[in-house]
Amino acid sequence: MQSQDVAQRPAPPSPAGPVVDVEQAEAALVEHYPRLVRLAYLVLPPGLGRSRRVLTAHALTQRALPRNRTPAPVIPAQSTGRDGDPGYALVRLQVLRTALQAGLPLRLRTWPKRSQLPPLLPQVWGLKLFPRSGGADELSLDQRLSTLSGPARAAYALRGLERLTDDGARRVLAAAGVADPDGALLEAGGIPEQFALLDSPEFDPCSLQARPTDLMRRRQHLKAALAAGAALLVCGALLGLPGEGWGPDGAAAPPYARNPAAQAALDPGKLTRVPPAAWRGSARTDFSVWPARGDLTGDDALLRRALAVWARPGETVQVSATPGTPSGGPAGPPQLLYAGTVDAARVVILYDGLRVARYAEPKDGTQGAALDFARVDGASRAEAGAVVLGRADGNVRYLTAPWVEEAAERDLMKPGSGAMDLALTDGVTAPLASPALRSGPCTSWNVLQLTDGARTRLLTDLGELVPARLTTGRPGRPGDVSGAAALHAWQPFACSLGTLRSAGVRSVNAWAFNEQPLPDASGSAAWVCTRAETWRGGGARVLAQFHTPGGAYGAVAAKAENVPACGARDPHVLAGVLWKSKAGDWYLLAAGGRETASIRAAGGVDGAARGSLLTVPAEQGAQAELKGTLEDGRSLGGLR
C-alpha cells in the first residue's frame, strides 16, 4: 500500500515562494529538533522495531538540511511553517518525505534510496535504545497506528502533532510525494483523535531507555568475526607469498600448503618418464616399467591440472577409490603412464608405486573432472597387464602393458565361439563391451584376452580402474584361463563375477574341487569354489557353486568373506545344497575336497558318509549343519 500511496519522485517546489538558506534551515532544525524527530518516529513503519526506528528517526532528521548553500525555495502554502518559520517548513517537509520513503519496500530492479537503508549515523554498539513506556492508552494508540499505511500515519501526525487543518495536511502530503493525500486523510480518520497522547514519552525518541543487546548472540557473532578475520589473514598471507604461484589448477581446490616436497610432487617437469624399452632389461615387470604414452604427454598445463586435482580435489571433482585405497596426494613426483585424448575426455594416468590414479576432464572445456584410484602394490607381470582408460556407451578402453602383443575380446559364457581381435594403437585397445556397466539378465560376460608371447591371460572389468585377473586350478597353483578346459570350467560361473563389482578385486580363481553323481542317475554335478583375492589383502570372498549337467549357470550353495577356505593357506572347502530330482524327490548333497575323509550332516537332516561326498534324502526347506574330517584328522566346517 505504501508503494502505491507515495510517488517515486516528489513534485518539484514552485520557485514563486520564499527561499531559505542553509543557515536558516539549520537554526530551525536545532530549535525544533525534538518535534521533528518525534514526527519521523511516528511516520516510520513499526516493523523496523523500536530501537531501529529511534536511530532512523534521528538519522533522517539530521540529514534534512539542504545539500548545498544555495537558497532553497519553499512552497507558498507552507511558507508559514511552525510559528511562521519557512526554515522549519522546509526541514519538516524533508523529514516527512524521507520517512515515507523509508517505508517503501526494496525492489530488485531499482536502486534503493538512502532512507531505505539502515542509517550509518548515529550508531550505538552493545545497547538497545527505545522510548520510555507510556500507559495503556498510548500502547493502544501505537497498535492502531501500526495498522495504517505510511501516508495515513503521516496525515495523523500532521493533524495531531503539527495541529494542521485537513487542507494544510493535504498540501504537505502532496508536497512530500503522496500520490493520494485525500485517501491518506480518509484512512487516518478511522483512528480516534487522541492527539494529546502524541506528546507522551511513548512517542518521544529523544527521551530514551537503554538495555543490552542479546549477549549470547553478540558473543557468537564476535567469535565468528574473529575466526573469519583470522582465516582472511591466513589466506591473504598464503596468496601473498613470493614466487610464481601454482598456476591454473583447473578443478583443484585452493592451495593449502607450499613447501619444496609438495611443489616437487606437483611439478609436471619432475614427473618420472620411463624409456619405451626399459621393461625389456628390467628385473621387474610391473607398472614401474611402463613408458609414458599418449598424444598429450607434452601438455604441461594438463599435467599440472591432473597433479593439482590429485593433491586437492575441488567440489566439482568426482573421486572414487577401490576399498582400502588411500586417496591423498602423492608423496613425491609420480610416474606418468599416459596422457592423451580418449573419446570425449582428456585423460592422464599416473603411478606412485602404491596406486594408479586416473584423471579425466571434459574435452569441451566444461567444468568438473573425475579422479579414480586403484591400489596395485605388489602387482606381477600378469596383474599389471592393463588399466582402464575410459568408459562410454557401455564400452571400455584399456591401456595395455608394453609387453602385450595382441588383444582380443571373448565371451566367457561361450567358450567355443573364439575370440574377436581388438586393434592396439600405441597400447590403447579398441572399445569392447563391459559387463560391469550392464544391467538386466546376464546373458554374456565379455572379458579382455591379452597375449604376451606364448602366454594368454584373461582380465575382466569389475567397474574399477584395474581389471581383475581370472585363473583356474587348485589354490596355490592356479593357471591362466587359456585352454579349452579352463574356458569350459569358467563358463557356468561367469555371471557370478557380477557380485564382485567395486570390491577391489585383484584376481578370481575357479577350482573344481569335486564331482558328485546325482542320485537319480541323471549325470554328475560339478562342485566349484571361486575365490576373489583383493589388493588390500582382507575382504577375500569365497563362493561354493553347484553346477548340474545341462545347466547354463552354477547355483551358489554357500558363500563367505574373510575366510582362508579355498585359498593358498587353506585349500580345503566343504559345502552342501538341497537338490530336487526330476521325480520331485529332495536330497541333501554335500562335497568336500579330495582330502576329505568323512562328512556328517546334523540338524534338519541327519546323515554321514565316508569319503568326500554325501547324499542324504531330505525334505524341502530343511537346513543342516555340515562337519567334515580331513585325512590327517583335522576338522572341517561347512562354508556358510
Side-chain angles (χ1 to χ4, degrees):
M1 177 180 294
Q2 297 172 17
S3 60
Q4 296 175 355
D5 292 340
V6 181
Q8 291 299 321
R9 292 185 178 179
S14 170
V19 294
V20 177
D21 58 24
V22 67
E23 287 82 1
Q24 186 178 359
E26 181 182 15
L29 189 149
V30 173
E31 180 181 357
H32 302 289
Y33 183 82
R35 179 169 293 274
L36 292 169
V37 176
R38 187 187 295 259
L39 175 64
Y41 182 83
L42 288 169
V43 177
L44 286 170
L48 295 178
R50 301 179 71 191
S51 180
R52 182 175 170 186
R53 282 173 68 191
V54 166
L55 297 179
T56 304
H58 282 275
L60 297 180
T61 305
Q62 293 172 14
R63 295 204 301 263
L65 291 175
R67 296 186 179 180
N68 49 51
R69 302 186 66 85
T70 302
V74 181
I75 299 174
Q78 304 309 319
S79 60
T80 57
R82 181 169 182 81
D83 301 329
D85 184 359
Y88 176 81
L90 178 66
V91 175
R92 180 184 63 186
L93 180 62
Q94 181 62 19
V95 169
L96 187 62
R97 180 183 294 134
T98 54
L100 289 171
Q101 291 174 350
L104 294 175
L106 292 173
R107 299 183 183 276
L108 295 177
R109 297 183 179 180
T110 59
W111 192 259
K113 297 180 180 296
R114 185 181 180 185
S115 57
Q116 293 177 274
L117 303 175
L120 296 178
L121 292 173
Q123 288 286 351
V124 178
W125 296 88
L127 291 176
K128 287 183 178 181
L129 301 178
F130 47 89
R132 296 180 180 276
S133 300
D137 293 337
E138 288 85 349
L139 178 60
S140 176
L141 177 60
D142 187 41
Q143 293 174 346
R144 290 175 178 176
L145 289 176
S146 66
T147 63
L148 299 179
S149 65
R153 287 195 301 273
Y156 192 92
L158 290 174
R159 282 173 170 173
L161 190 66
E162 294 296 299
R163 300 294 191 267
L164 294 182
T165 64
D166 285 356
D167 289 339
R170 184 180 296 108
R171 295 189 188 98
V172 175
L173 290 174
V178 175
D180 185 12
D182 291 329
L185 289 169
L186 182 62
E187 184 183 355
I191 302 295
E193 294 185 357
Q194 297 175 295
F195 296 149
L197 297 179
L198 296 181
D199 293 323
S200 71
E202 178 78 23
F203 306 106
D204 183 7
C206 292
S207 178
L208 301 172
Q209 298 183 92
R211 292 290 186 274
T213 58
D214 189 331
L215 299 179
M216 292 299 296
R217 180 177 298 179
R218 191 170 71 190
R219 182 180 299 175
Q220 294 171 355
H221 289 176
L222 179 60
K223 291 181 179 179
L226 291 175
L232 185 61
L233 289 175
V234 171
C235 292
L238 290 176
L239 294 175
L241 287 176
E244 297 180 357
W246 289 41
D249 294 340
Y256 57 86
R258 293 188 59 152
N259 56 69
Q263 288 182 304
L266 304 180
D267 185 357
K270 290 183 169 58
L271 284 172
T272 302
R273 300 170 187 257
V274 176
W279 66 273
R280 298 183 183 276
S282 174
R284 298 175 56 179
T285 49
D286 55 16
F287 293 105
S288 65
V289 294
W290 278 32
R293 288 170 286 181
D295 58 335
L296 298 177
T297 54
D299 190 340
D300 286 349
L302 171 64
L303 298 178
R304 177 177 292 278
R305 290 195 299 273
L307 292 168
V309 171
W310 184 354
R312 49 183 203 281
E315 294 181 354
T316 61
V317 180
Q318 298 180 356
V319 182
S320 69
T322 57
T325 304
S327 57
Q335 176 185 342
L336 177 62
L337 304 185
Y338 180 86
T341 304
V342 181
D343 297 323
R346 288 185 288 265
V347 177
V348 177
I349 305 291
L350 301 165
Y351 171 69
D352 68 349
L354 171 67
R355 303 161 292 174
V356 168
R358 174 184 177 272
Y359 168 81
E361 64 180 27
K363 189 170 60 176
D364 58 6
T366 56
Q367 295 295 322
L371 186 63
D372 305 312
F373 296 95
R375 186 170 172 177
V376 292
D377 50 316
S380 64
R381 183 187 183 107
E383 295 157 338
V387 170
V388 172
L389 272 185
R391 294 186 172 89
D393 301 326
N395 298 321
V396 60
R397 287 183 185 270
Y398 292 96
L399 176 67
T400 60
W403 51 83
V404 172
E405 300 175 358
E406 298 177 2
E409 179 180 3
R410 176 183 289 279
D411 188 351
L412 203 58
M413 298 184 66
K414 300 175 182 178
S417 62
M420 181 177 64
D421 291 339
L422 289 174
L424 276 178
T425 305
D426 196 21
V428 179
T429 68
L432 66 151
S434 171
L437 305 178
R438 184 182 55 213
S439 59
C442 179
T443 57
S444 63
W445 194 275
N446 296 326
V447 295
L448 176 66
Q449 179 176 289
L450 300 180
T451 301
D452 168 18
R455 303 292 298 271
T456 299
R457 300 182 176 92
L458 292 188
L459 303 174
T460 183
D461 181 21
L462 296 179
E464 299 175 345
L465 191 55
V466 178
R469 179 190 178 193
L470 299 181
T471 60
T472 183
R474 182 179 177 83
R477 298 192 302 272
D480 288 301
V481 183
S482 56
L487 290 171
H488 281 85
W490 257 108
Q491 175 188 1
F493 313 107
C495 289
S496 65
L497 292 170
T499 63
L500 304 175
R501 291 186 179 98
S502 303
V505 175
R506 178 175 187 162
S507 63
V508 187
N509 182 60
W511 174 42
F513 63 90
N514 216 327
E515 186 174 327
Q516 185 169 18
L518 298 175
D520 62 353
S522 59
S524 296
W527 283 96
V528 176
C529 70
T530 57
R531 181 179 177 90
E533 300 287 355
T534 65
W535 288 99
R536 64 188 183 277
R541 300 184 182 184
V542 180
L543 297 179
Q545 303 189 61
F546 181 74
H547 182 229
T548 56
Y553 308 98
V556 177
K559 58 184 177 180
E561 187 172 343
N562 283 322
V563 297
C566 197
R569 289 180 52 196
D570 183 10
H572 308 291
V573 60
L574 174 62
V577 66
L578 280 176
W579 178 79
K580 182 181 180 181
S581 67
K582 294 181 180 180
D585 299 324
W586 287 89
Y587 295 89
L588 170 65
L589 305 180
R594 304 292 182 178
E595 297 85 1
T596 305
S598 63
I599 302 175
R600 180 174 183 83
V605 181
D606 288 327
R610 298 185 62 82
S612 59
L613 300 174
L614 172 66
T615 302
V616 182
E619 299 292 335
Q620 180 180 1
Q623 296 183 356
E625 182 179 357
L626 297 176
K627 292 184 178 180
T629 303
L630 298 175
E631 292 178 350
D632 60 4
R634 289 181 297 163
S635 298
L636 180 64
L639 196 65
R640 295 179 178 272

